[in-house]
Amino acid sequence: MNKVVAFLKSKTFGEWASVATALLTVFGLIFYACLISVSFETTEAPAAVIVLGIVTIALAAVAFFKDFFQVVTIAECAAAFITFSLFVKGRVSYFAFYITGDVMDTGLSPFFVIAAGFFVLAMVSAVIAFCLSKNKNKYINQEEKL
């Protein structure tokens, strides 16, 4: 038990941001699944969003345990950005319809708003994980010693 506690205490804020990225992506995917179950857009690719969301979660989990020269956190950032981009690409016509007047009075789906919010927060936490990763701090500390 002491080893687990010591392991968790040794983690930096950046590594905990990777955990946040994974959790936010999970919640984003849950609300996205709710969204696609009640509506469908012709430009949407739900399988791609879900697969890239799962890739983001996997990369965030790997980055929490071992970040190989920041390659994993860079891939985590890229996957989070691509997931959000595919989400937006599939829903841009829906959002444009709402912004231009919503003539059918359908309203903006709460599932859309919540999923978009979680995906944006996942991108932000992925960037934080990259910026505050342990490897980068090692390089900064080496420069200070010189």
Side-chain angles (χ1 to χ4, degrees):
M1 184 67 178
N2 290 336
K3 287 184 178 183
V4 173
V5 172
F7 172 75
L8 294 176
K9 284 184 178 181
S10 71
K11 294 299 175 183
T12 64
F13 187 76
E15 290 163 330
W16 286 108
S18 287
V19 173
T21 301
L23 290 174
L24 291 166
T25 304
V26 166
F27 289 128
L29 288 176
I30 289 169
F31 284 102
Y32 181 69
C34 294
L35 176 66
I36 62 174
S37 70
V38 296
S39 69
F40 181 76
E41 288 289 322
T42 57
T43 59
E44 194 168 48
V49 174
I50 292 170
V51 167
L52 275 165
I54 292 169
V55 167
T56 303
I57 294 165
L59 288 169
V62 170
F64 178 72
F65 291 103
K66 183 73 173 167
D67 189 10
F68 302 97
F69 305 106
Q70 290 188 308
V71 172
V72 180
T73 52
I74 290 170
E76 175 188 346
C77 284
F81 275 90
I82 294 170
T83 301
F84 179 70
S85 298
L86 286 175
F87 169 75
V88 169
K89 179 187 172 281
R91 288 287 162 168
V92 72
S93 62
Y94 165 78
F95 192 62
F97 173 76
Y98 177 76
I99 293 294
T100 58
D102 194 15
V103 293
M104 294 171 47
D105 199 28
T106 57
L108 191 59
S109 169
F111 293 133
F112 170 79
V113 174
I114 295 169
F118 277 124
F119 285 139
V120 167
L121 290 174
M123 285 189 317
V124 169
S125 68
V127 170
I128 290 171
F130 169 70
C131 292
L132 299 178
S133 71
K134 188 183 282 186
N135 290 334
K136 189 169 188 170
N137 292 339
K138 286 181 183 177
Y139 297 131
I140 291 171
N141 291 337
Q142 286 177 356
E143 289 175 4
E144 289 175 357
K145 290 178 182 178
L146 294 175

